[in-house]
């Protein structure tokens, strides 16, 4: 954790600033498990600064359950996720739980339509950008 991140949490606590800190925690530091590189957890660091903090899964229901005081005071959510792609996108970690794909199975048709429409729009924008870059 860069020192300025720690300082930001400390400042938010001192001034009781209504900030939500979100940490995506895939238990890895590049390709190494966190426990090899450090002996502390982000939510514990936040507690040391007297900031309300939670170590939770990426389940949307669990996340929502911890948002009742958001923007009333500083809060940190350390959200445990599962990484699919390596740090620089060079490889895939192998077996993993893809919450997004799992959740899509429970969505109504309208949400799936919006998801597909957004995916197509992003693809169009990337294609347009690539075409502009390839022109002299």
């Amino acid at each position: 954790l860069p020192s300025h991140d720690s300082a930001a949490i400390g400042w938010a606590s001192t001034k009781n600033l209504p900030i939500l800190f979100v940490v995506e925690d895939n238990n890895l530091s590049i390709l190494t498990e966190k426990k090899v590189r450090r002996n502390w957890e982000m939510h514990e660091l936040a507690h040391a600064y007297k900031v309300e903090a939670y170590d939770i899964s990426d389940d949307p229901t669990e996340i929502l359950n911890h948002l009742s005081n958001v923007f009333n005071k500083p809060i940190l959510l350390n959200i445990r996720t599962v990484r699919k792609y390596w740090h620089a996108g060079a490889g895939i970690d192998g077996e993993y739980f893809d919450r997004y794909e799992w959740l899509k199975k429970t969505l109504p048709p309208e949400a799936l339509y919006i998801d597909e429409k957004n995916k197509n729009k992003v693809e169009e924008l990337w294609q347009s950008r690539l075409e502009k870059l390839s022109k002299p």
Side-chain angles (χ1 to χ4, degrees):
L1 176 72
S3 61
H4 61 274
D5 292 343
S6 177
I9 294 169
W11 182 250
S13 176
T14 299
K15 298 298 180 180
N16 197 34
L17 299 175
I19 298 174
L20 172 62
F21 295 94
V22 177
V23 178
E24 181 198 15
D25 182 354
N26 63 19
N27 193 37
L28 295 167
S29 178
I30 304 178
L31 292 173
T32 307
E33 285 189 33
K34 289 184 314 187
K35 67 182 178 184
V36 173
R37 295 187 183 254
R38 67 180 202 221
N39 63 355
W40 52 271
E41 295 292 336
M42 196 61 214
H43 65 287
E44 294 168 348
L45 178 71
H47 284 148
Y49 284 110
K50 297 182 172 58
V51 168
E52 186 176 327
Y54 302 96
D55 182 42
I56 61 176
S57 77
D58 64 349
D59 181 329
T61 304
E62 188 172 6
I63 294 168
L64 285 172
N65 287 339
H66 289 89
L67 296 179
S68 61
N69 289 322
V70 168
F71 305 122
N72 293 327
K73 59 185 176 182
I75 294 177
L76 181 135
L77 297 181
N78 187 78
I79 302 175
R80 286 176 271 108
T81 62
V82 178
R83 180 179 76 176
K84 178 177 180 179
Y85 295 104
W86 290 2
H87 183 65
I92 296 177
D93 282 330
E95 293 294 319
Y96 68 96
F97 173 67
D98 188 329
R99 184 169 300 282
Y100 178 68
E101 288 301 322
W102 173 82
L103 187 60
K104 278 185 12 180
K105 295 174 186 171
T106 67
L107 295 174
E110 303 83 36
L112 295 173
Y113 170 76
I114 292 169
D115 182 58
E116 189 63 30
K117 189 174 175 182
N118 286 337
K119 193 182 317 177
N120 291 339
K121 183 64 176 175
V122 168
E123 184 61 37
E124 287 174 25
L125 291 170
W126 274 112
Q127 193 60 39
S128 171
R129 179 72 176 143
L130 289 173
E131 289 171 7
K132 287 178 184 177
L133 289 174
S134 66
K135 292 182 182 177

